[in-house]
Amino acid sequence: MGKKIPVSGPWITQKEINYVADAAAKAWYENANLYNARFEKAFAEYLAVKHAVSLPSCTSAIHLSLVALGVGPGDEVIVPDITWIATAAPISYVGASPVFADIDPQHWCLAADSLEACITSRTKAVIAVDLYGNVPDWDAVLAVARKHDIAVIEDAAEAIGSEYKHRKAGTFGATAAFSFHGSKTLTTGEGGMLVTDDTEIYERVLFLRDHGRKPGDVMFYNTEVAFKYRMSSLQAALGLAQIERIEELVGRKRQIFGEYAEALQNVDGLTLNYEAPETRNTYWMVTAVLESRLGIEKSHLMRLMAGKNIDCRPFFFPLSMIPAYQDREEARKARARNLVSYAISPYGINLPSGMNMDAANIGYVCDVLKEAIAAPDLKESCR
Ligand SMILES: *Cc1c(COP(=O)(O)O)cnc(C)c1O
């Protein structure tokens, strides 16, 4: 095999190229906001939510969500220990503290009982994550949040098109945040979207993301110090083409997972992404978790796969163990508490899940993976 198989990547067609070219030519003057408005409208309609705001990233969507919900210094915000750091970093931007809750052993998203156990008198909000395209048990998470009167933000960065009881991911919190990074199912290169049904939050977000200007302000008369988070029209044009192809994109992700699942179904000690009844997983990243008894840690497996030109990613490290957080008191408590996170994370890898994966490449990846699991000597040789 000559070429490296990438871990993720988008599916761009002539439609995307045409829209971006049109935006470059025409989305100026009175049409400057045309593609952003169309992308936001199509996105909101797809999710059946009232409002969508296009932003430079999912990180900025989470940041604005926290500010709009009034989270600030002294507050605690609960996040799952297993997620990308972008879920938690904005909590520090607003001067609040992240608290790391455990995940569920089956769906790998936030566990509702651990969420409840982490709540204190300082808890202001929870950011639940639709990990790798799966969904948490939203009924249970929302019941805990309601009982304790804490706000819910949904980090749906990895889960465009996923569903829980026939409702789309991105409709479960006061706000939800999506990512359109180049690795995500729907891409604008870089980009994000904040969605909400709450018109007051929506208006506050529009104000906060434009340096504290009231919408329609023509005097450039800023009434607060705020932020500058806007998506360019070129990105919005790309996003519009992608959302118009969303069923195709999600279908491709599900097809890729299906091919992996078939090829790996009889491998003893290997578990792939779970899909609970009444949910729809969109499998952003096909993820293999090995039983610890096999003794194959993710770093060994990744090195071995890299040696065969296969690019993989590690199952997220618990946030409570990475250097960015490890010295905090909250991280120390989480390391003692989050048994599921610490049991799964060392033995999981994301397999190549890019939109360009074909049957031959999936077959090759599965053969290498099966070989690695069957022959521990291979594992030794890659140390
Ligand atoms: C990708 C990702 C983000 C961050 O998205 P950006 O657009 O890069 O800011 C946030 N949360 C999760 C779970 C992600 O996977």
Side-chain angles (χ1 to χ4, degrees):
M1 296 290 287
K3 232 170 120 191
K4 193 152 188 123
I5 300 177
V7 72
S8 200
W11 183 2
I12 302 299
T13 65
Q14 193 61 42
K15 183 186 184 93
E16 281 81 352
I17 296 166
N18 291 348
Y19 280 24
V20 174
D22 188 64
K26 299 198 194 119
W28 310 104
Y29 300 105
E30 74 275 16
N31 291 324
N33 195 46
L34 196 74
Y35 274 103
N36 296 73
R38 287 177 66 190
F39 181 33
E40 289 167 353
K41 182 163 180 289
F43 201 87
E45 276 170 8
Y46 176 65
L47 294 185
V49 294
K50 276 198 196 136
H51 308 290
V53 185
S54 54
L55 298 168
S57 66
C58 177
T59 305
S60 55
I62 295 171
H63 185 191
L64 291 175
S65 296
L66 290 166
V67 179
L69 290 166
V71 178
D75 295 334
E76 290 176 352
V77 179
I78 298 171
V79 296
D81 213 345
I82 299 291
T83 182
W84 176 229
I85 193 170
T87 309
I91 298 167
S92 300
Y93 303 170
V94 301
S97 307
V99 173
F100 310 103
D102 208 358
I103 59 165
D104 178 88
Q106 231 176 351
H107 56 63
W108 305 333
C109 300
L110 179 66
D113 56 349
S114 182
L115 164 64
E116 183 150 40
C118 289
I119 290 173
T120 72
S121 58
R122 294 169 59 198
T123 306
K124 192 80 185 258
V126 54
I127 310 177
V129 180
D130 301 310
L131 197 78
Y132 300 140
N134 208 349
V135 284
D137 182 347
W138 276 112
D139 283 346
V141 168
L142 294 176
V144 171
R146 223 173 289 124
K147 180 173 158 196
H148 296 274
D149 194 25
I150 58 173
V152 177
I153 297 168
E154 180 176 2
D155 181 346
E158 304 176 355
I160 179 97
S162 299
E163 291 177 11
Y164 175 86
K165 297 190 177 172
H166 308 291
R167 252 172 80 189
K168 289 231 157 54
T171 63
F172 292 92
T175 68
F178 287 88
S179 173
F180 311 130
H181 177 259
S183 67
K184 299 287 163 49
T185 300
L186 185 162
T187 191
T188 61
E190 295 280 358
M193 192 78 84
L194 184 154
V195 300
T196 182
D197 273 329
D198 186 320
T199 301
E200 219 172 293
I201 290 176
Y202 171 65
E203 282 169 0
R204 179 82 180 134
V205 165
L206 290 182
F207 171 85
L208 288 169
R209 68 89 164 259
D210 198 19
H211 279 314
R213 291 170 67 195
K214 297 216 169 86
D217 160 48
V218 292
M219 299 308 287
F220 296 82
Y221 198 74
N222 313 76
T223 52
E224 269 181 55
V225 176
F227 312 96
K228 176 62 199 296
Y229 286 149
R230 276 183 172 276
M231 172 182 276
S232 78
S233 60
L234 305 181
Q235 292 167 301
L238 188 47
L240 177 64
Q242 291 256 288
I243 194 77
E244 288 178 355
R245 295 180 52 233
I246 188 64
E247 294 307 336
E248 212 176 6
L249 299 180
V250 167
R252 185 84 193 96
K253 282 290 193 189
R254 287 183 59 84
Q255 183 194 346
I256 290 166
F257 179 82
E259 289 176 19
Y260 270 112
E262 198 181 324
L264 297 171
Q265 63 186 338
N266 294 321
V267 180
D268 196 33
L270 178 147
T271 305
L272 296 178
N273 315 51
Y274 176 66
E275 185 176 56
E278 291 193 273
T279 70
R280 183 198 201 201
N281 192 332
T282 51
Y283 306 111
W284 171 56
M285 287 268 179
V286 178
T287 301
V289 173
L290 303 183
E291 283 179 19
S292 59
R293 65 176 167 82
L294 298 173
I296 308 173
E297 293 204 3
K298 61 185 172 188
S299 54
H300 302 163
L301 202 48
M302 281 178 61
R303 267 200 299 273
L304 188 144
M305 303 291 273
K308 304 273 184 176
N309 269 336
I310 300 169
D311 192 20
C312 296
R313 285 191 192 177
F315 198 95
F316 289 121
F317 286 91
L319 293 175
S320 59
M321 76 170 275
I322 59 175
Y325 292 113
Q326 66 187 5
D327 293 337
R328 298 178 184 220
E329 175 62 12
E330 269 310 330
R332 194 190 58 73
K333 284 191 211 160
R335 286 196 290 275
R337 174 179 61 224
N338 297 342
L339 303 181
V340 178
S341 300
Y342 279 83
I344 293 177
S345 170
Y347 303 108
I349 61 167
N350 308 125
L351 301 173
S353 308
M355 292 291 191
N356 62 349
M357 288 301 285
D358 57 20
N361 275 343
I362 292 171
Y364 172 71
V365 171
C366 291
D367 287 346
V368 172
L369 185 60
K370 283 193 251 188
E371 216 178 312
I373 293 169
D377 52 310
L378 271 178
K379 173 186 81 194
E380 295 307 318
S381 70
C382 71
R383 274 174 205 263

